Amino acid sequence: MTLLTEDQQALVETTLDFAQDHLAPHALDWDRDKHFPVDVLRKAAGIGLGGVYVREESGGSGLTRTDGVLVFETLASGCPSIAGYLSIHNMVAWMVDHYGDPAQRERRLPRLCAMDDLAAYCLTEPGSGSDAAALTTRAVRDGDHWILTGVKQFISGAGAARLYVVMARTGGTGAGGVSAFLVEGDDPGLSFGANEHKMGWNAQPTRQVILDEVRIPGDRLLGREGEGFRIAMNGLNGGRLGIAACSLGGARSALDRSLAHLADREAFGRRLLDADALRFRLADMATELAAARALVQQAAAALDRGDARAPYLCAMAKRFATDTGYSVADRALQLHGGYGYLHEYGIEKIVRDLRVHRILEGTNEIMRVIVARGMTEAFA
């Protein structure tokens, strides 16, 4: 890991204490019971994790992306599902802080940072996932109001969240016709589908968000009309780093458990940990995680300094870290033998949780498109 400053080391230690005390002991029960621990999220807000990137004057922690990837990796060592939701909540809070007008920031951010209001990000639709610019949810101006109609799919936190950043079409086809809106959970016409039955991420709800002529005041437009797709994509740059970091944290936990398991088990008269074949597997897993972490930290530093190549690097880091994290967790399960397949050992939960990281915040196939475009645009 990159040498940390004293402040970063203290941040990691505080976050690790929280993960070990409030996430890890309950993660398996939350997964089994499909329980969304809102009370624990508010405890996380109490140590500044509800507004990681929000400016301090708005009630946030004012941390950098470089700090943030440390936070989310550490949180995910306790529970990747809850860490993943916190990453999404913080992505939305950053969007409100960065693109909101003074009245929006004053009204929304203190409650988001305290997690009195939970947040959800609504871009994907049943018919437009990877091709997000093809979304069909529409917002029509009606005097001083907007009327929103459409359906959003795979929305983390839906139903429990109070604030929804919704991308809707206000103009013509393509990215330039999309605007961003702030929709509240009790707005008339807003409803939710059933909680999806998922492979992993069971400790947070995933539901459709259904907008049936939801009428909202004009001051709920976030940013300028037609700017929504750019807002959505800029939010995802940071969101991709958060999910990449969560993959690192989950995989690191799986690797640590594998070390302890192999040290405790014997076969053919000696500890499994003393078998060179298994030690070499552990060495490869640790090396791959270190490489992925370095790439995530490089991308975070680029985003912090406003580097024009940051979207390219964020896509590269997300692709590599989520693929690597899942691969390491899967190999950790194999190293546990039959015990890895049992719920009580926690490894199979990590594998299930990390699998979706290769899909959300832009599939890894789309990450390759972004990286390839960045490599070849000089030859266009």
Side-chain angles (χ1 to χ4, degrees):
M1 179 179 287
T2 302
L3 185 65
L4 304 183
T5 67
E6 289 186 9
D7 286 345
Q8 287 174 330
Q9 186 61 48
L11 177 65
V12 168
E13 291 172 359
T14 298
T15 307
L16 183 59
D17 286 344
F18 180 86
Q20 291 178 338
D21 292 344
H22 298 288
L23 300 185
H26 311 290
L28 290 177
D29 291 341
W30 294 338
D31 176 75
R32 182 195 62 223
D33 299 336
K34 297 179 171 55
H35 173 67
F36 190 38
V38 174
D39 58 332
V40 175
L41 293 174
R42 290 180 178 146
K43 289 178 182 177
I47 61 169
L49 301 183
V52 171
Y53 309 116
V54 173
R55 287 170 283 189
E56 292 183 68
E57 56 266 32
S58 297
S61 297
L63 299 181
T64 64
R65 299 292 179 175
T66 305
D67 298 328
V69 296
L70 299 173
V71 166
F72 291 111
E73 177 177 351
T74 306
L75 281 173
S77 69
C79 179
S81 177
I82 296 304
Y85 175 74
L86 279 164
S87 174
I88 293 168
H89 173 90
N90 275 281
M91 176 175 67
V92 173
W94 174 84
M95 292 164 70
V96 174
D97 189 34
H98 195 74
Y99 292 103
D101 61 35
Q104 289 170 336
R105 294 198 300 271
E106 182 179 2
R107 178 181 178 185
R108 309 285 178 182
L109 289 173
R111 294 189 62 81
L112 289 173
C113 292
M115 299 195 82
D116 291 330
D117 291 346
L118 304 183
Y121 176 82
C122 302
L123 176 63
T124 298
E125 298 183 359
S128 62
S130 294
D131 186 10
L135 63 85
T136 60
T137 295
R138 179 155 295 276
V140 177
R141 193 188 295 274
D142 182 27
D144 294 333
H145 289 73
W146 291 93
I147 299 175
L148 278 65
T149 302
V151 178
K152 297 296 182 178
Q153 183 78 22
F154 305 130
I155 306 305
S156 294
R162 167 69 179 175
L163 183 68
Y164 299 81
V165 173
V166 176
M167 307 304 161
R169 189 162 301 285
T170 54
T173 59
V178 177
S179 300
F181 295 90
L182 301 173
V183 177
E184 296 182 356
D186 58 358
D187 283 331
L190 184 71
S191 62
F192 308 97
N195 195 7
E196 303 286 1
H197 296 284
K198 308 186 296 288
M199 175 179 175
W201 270 32
N202 289 318
Q204 54 165 292
T206 301
R207 303 169 70 177
Q208 282 189 337
V209 173
I210 303 165
L211 303 112
D212 183 9
E213 296 188 355
V214 176
R215 185 181 180 87
I216 60 174
D219 63 6
R220 301 268 203 91
L221 177 69
L222 181 64
R224 296 187 296 273
E225 187 174 342
E227 194 180 21
F229 193 77
R230 185 171 72 87
I231 292 173
M233 294 301 105
N234 286 343
L236 282 175
N237 288 331
R240 286 165 182 160
L241 292 180
I243 292 303
C246 288
S247 288
L248 297 177
R252 186 182 65 182
S253 175
L255 177 56
D256 289 344
R257 295 176 195 216
S258 294
L259 277 164
H261 179 75
L262 296 180
D264 188 57
R265 296 279 293 175
E266 290 189 1
F268 307 108
R270 61 174 179 166
R271 296 188 311 167
L272 292 178
L273 190 60
D274 295 327
D276 281 344
L278 300 183
R279 291 164 70 95
F280 292 168
R281 289 190 193 184
L282 294 170
D284 284 344
M285 293 157 72
T287 301
E288 290 164 26
L289 282 180
R293 183 177 297 110
L295 185 53
V296 170
Q297 291 175 347
Q298 179 190 12
L303 197 57
D304 281 335
R305 64 176 180 266
D307 191 319
R309 298 177 72 246
Y312 163 90
L313 290 170
C314 290
M316 187 181 288
K318 191 269 182 184
R319 201 291 295 168
F320 188 71
T322 58
D323 280 350
T324 298
Y326 178 76
S327 174
V328 166
D330 186 59
R331 280 176 279 169
L333 189 155
Q334 188 73 18
L335 289 171
H336 278 73
Y339 294 102
Y341 208 65
L342 300 181
H343 184 73
E344 65 193 86
Y345 278 74
I347 298 294
E348 61 86 31
K349 175 194 180 295
I350 294 173
V351 173
R352 289 187 288 106
D353 282 348
L354 297 195
R355 182 60 183 86
V356 76
H357 294 191
R358 300 165 69 193
I359 297 171
L360 56 81
E361 311 289 41
T363 68
N364 283 4
E365 289 73 20
I366 293 300
M367 297 306 98
R368 290 177 171 89
V369 171
I370 295 170
V371 172
R373 184 184 299 143
M375 293 172 61
T376 60
E377 60 188 10
F379 298 93

